[in-house]
Amino acid sequence: MAPIRLPVSTFDFRAIRSEFDLREAFFDDAMAEAAAPVDRYAAERDDRTDLALVTIDPPGSMDLDQAVHIERVASGFVVHYAIADVGALVAPGGALDAETRERGQTYYLPDESVPLHPRVLSEGSASLLPNETRAAALWRIELDSNGEAVAWTVSRALVKSVARLDYAGVQADFDAGTPHPSIAALAEFGALRAQAAVLRGSIDITLPEQEVVRDGDSWRIELQGRTDVDAWNAEVSLLTGMCAARIMLDARVGLLRTLPPASEDALATLRTTADTLGIEWPAGASAGAVLAGLPRDAPETLAMMTEATGLLRGADYAAFDGELPPVTEHAGIGAPYAHVTAPLRRLSDRYATEVCLAVVGDTEIPVWARTALPDLPAVMRSSDSTASKVDRACIDLTEATVLAGRVGEEFGALVLRGADGKRDAEVFLDDPIVIGKCTGEPPEGEKVTVRLTVADTDSRRIQFGYESP
């Protein structure tokens, strides 16, 4: 059945912007700085425009933070990863610096994003657009034949992307056996890194993610498709973040993204869910290994993955200078990790990258970066919370609008999570694509029939009910 499309006029995402006080416009002095950025490190850059880097992003993206080149060599792999050098273009203590520290990150709504930086910078002079020479922090990471990093460095460079690619197109090229030469080794690299992740005890949770998509003069809600290329490309970013964390920990100064180990209660609950769903949990196997071995599209997998989100609670940021923080690892990744690969869209990356550049270059960390570190965790916690709420509000509004006028109708649904006395069950509908709360006690992991009981666009709330046959 074709996805439900609703006229653009049916929605008003402006109300959500107002509710969360999201302001797209920048003050004039910040705009002036963004329109005429000065590369403060121009004289220090190596010319690496010889590298045939490519970007991989969603179609239409213009704020391109990263460009990649992967080479298969006799000893393993050499990865070059260029990251937009935002720290060199935003004047410390200036008007633009102040505004970005208030915003924290880019917020994405279906009709328009609310950017961290003015678009003239984030989609123009700083973006790694194809065939444009750009300032970058260029990572070079050597890996052995098992895909394990053995050496890494980062330096300021001039780079030039040779192609702007998108995930679906790259996947099609790999499927056809004709990948771009700059990333021909991506599949082998990605598979090895995924295997290494399981051995580290990482936890990769793949859930159906809803997205509101514009289609001409209408909207539709669909699931975000995740290709193999998505996973392979994510491994490049994760690898870089792990190397960055190691640099900062060795120097005892920096900013980490952390996650404490899963609680015994969360692990016990997941084991119980596995038993209920008939999923084997071999003796000694980690939760990550069990999840990685599940068939991607099975109903039991979606139910298991939904319950597994309980393992990843408590994500935070840890700034340190001298004394290491109590938690240094990211349990979901199975290693120390730092955000450094998306500085156009996330504030923390600018500062962590600056620390890494200084440590590797054996120079003093700039005062503006070092003194800001203690304040960044609070800024990022707040902006992460807002981003999550904005995303949820947009989806909730779309779901309620799609289902308005259909209260009382029955729908086929998959039970992602059963009721447990503290919370209602959660069900997934594939027509229309909706994830909602459900009263009653529908059996976890099974397909059932539910009745829509609430669809209120004002409160952005939907609810279903289940009655045992």
Side-chain angles (χ1 to χ4, degrees):
M1 186 176 294
I4 294 176
R5 292 175 170 83
L6 296 171
V8 170
S9 59
T10 306
F11 297 83
D12 186 4
F13 296 109
R14 293 173 301 176
I16 294 175
R17 284 188 183 79
S18 177
E19 178 180 338
F20 292 98
D21 196 25
L22 302 182
R23 175 175 54 85
E24 178 171 358
F26 287 78
F27 293 117
D28 290 345
D29 48 359
M31 283 297 300
E33 291 180 13
V38 176
D39 180 2
R40 302 192 309 283
Y41 301 97
E44 303 175 20
R45 296 192 186 280
D46 296 326
D47 187 341
R48 293 309 316 271
T49 53
D50 60 301
L51 276 173
L53 297 157
V54 300
T55 59
I56 309 174
D57 289 273
S61 295
M62 295 293 287
D63 52 346
L64 310 182
D65 293 281
Q66 315 114 1
V68 64
H69 181 277
I70 302 181
E71 182 181 5
R72 188 67 165 95
V73 296
S75 58
F77 302 86
V78 175
V79 174
H80 282 95
Y81 206 34
I83 309 299
D85 193 355
V86 181
L89 302 179
V90 176
L96 180 56
D97 184 28
E99 281 220 43
T100 57
R101 290 182 66 166
E102 288 183 4
R103 294 175 181 236
Q105 62 185 278
T106 295
Y107 299 95
Y108 292 95
L109 291 88
D111 56 345
E112 194 72 83
S113 64
V114 179
L116 175 61
H117 302 89
R119 298 185 196 280
V120 66
L121 182 81
S122 62
E123 299 182 0
S125 58
S127 179
L128 304 184
L129 297 167
N131 303 313
E132 298 287 348
T133 299
R134 291 290 187 255
L138 181 62
W139 289 85
R140 184 182 190 276
I141 305 172
E142 299 177 24
L143 302 98
D144 63 20
S145 58
N146 295 317
E148 292 291 346
V150 294
W152 50 85
T153 189
V154 61
S155 60
R156 286 194 152 96
L158 291 175
V159 301
K160 182 184 289 186
S161 166
V162 299
R164 179 171 62 186
L165 310 178
D166 62 70
Y167 293 104
V170 173
Q171 186 67 60
D173 289 343
F174 270 101
D175 292 344
T178 58
H180 193 286
S182 296
I183 51 172
L186 180 62
E188 184 183 5
F189 162 88
L192 287 172
R193 292 300 298 171
Q195 292 172 14
V198 173
L199 293 176
R200 291 195 311 269
S202 71
I203 300 172
D204 183 17
I205 296 178
T206 304
L207 283 170
E209 293 188 16
Q210 299 156 286
E211 185 177 16
V212 183
V213 178
R214 188 161 188 165
D215 186 4
D217 61 354
S218 64
W219 295 99
R220 69 176 188 272
I221 188 166
E222 61 180 31
L223 290 185
Q224 292 180 348
R226 192 187 187 204
T227 64
D228 289 334
V229 170
D230 286 78
W232 301 336
N233 193 51
E235 290 294 344
V236 181
S237 184
L238 289 171
L239 169 66
T240 307
M242 291 165 65
C243 292
R246 192 70 267 160
I247 289 170
M248 291 187 283
L249 284 170
D250 288 346
R252 304 183 75 85
V253 57
L255 179 68
L256 301 178
R257 184 68 164 138
T258 62
L259 181 72
S263 69
E264 290 301 322
D265 286 346
L267 286 168
T269 298
L270 187 64
R271 286 180 177 275
T272 299
T273 298
D275 289 341
T276 301
L277 298 174
I279 294 173
E280 183 180 1
W281 193 310
S286 68
V290 172
L291 295 172
L294 297 178
R296 181 178 297 181
D297 298 323
E300 295 82 7
T301 298
L302 294 181
M304 188 73 166
M305 290 287 184
T306 300
E307 192 61 58
T309 57
L311 304 179
L312 302 181
R313 295 192 178 118
D316 203 355
Y317 296 84
F320 57 101
D321 194 346
E323 183 177 349
L324 296 183
V327 177
T328 60
E329 290 212 359
H330 190 294
I333 295 171
Y337 174 70
H339 279 157
V340 292
T341 62
L344 290 173
R345 292 170 278 179
R346 193 170 49 212
L347 181 70
S348 56
D349 301 45
R350 184 200 315 170
Y351 295 86
T353 294
E354 204 66 37
V355 173
C356 290
L357 285 164
V359 171
V360 171
D362 196 24
T363 61
E364 288 294 323
I365 299 169
V367 173
W368 63 264
R370 193 164 205 155
T371 57
L373 290 176
D375 298 329
L376 291 173
V379 173
M380 296 311 301
R381 285 185 209 113
S382 176
S383 64
D384 281 350
S385 176
T386 299
S388 178
K389 291 174 183 176
V390 167
D391 184 55
R392 187 67 254 170
C394 291
I395 293 172
D396 288 347
L397 173 61
T398 305
E399 288 180 333
T401 305
V402 164
L403 291 170
R406 301 183 69 178
V407 172
E409 289 188 29
E410 292 186 339
F411 299 86
L414 170 67
V415 184
L416 294 178
R417 178 158 40 203
D420 63 3
K422 297 180 181 178
R423 61 191 176 191
D424 289 333
E426 190 170 64
V427 296
F428 168 62
L429 280 63
D430 61 7
D431 184 20
I433 295 168
V434 165
I435 298 175
K437 301 297 182 183
C438 182
T439 59
E441 296 184 0
E444 188 168 83
E446 295 190 16
K447 293 184 177 181
V448 299
T449 297
V450 297
R451 187 182 302 276
L452 179 65
T453 58
V454 178
D456 181 35
T457 56
D458 290 336
S459 63
R460 302 191 296 262
R461 178 171 171 261
I462 62 168
Q463 185 167 292
F464 298 89
Y466 169 78
E467 296 181 4
S468 300

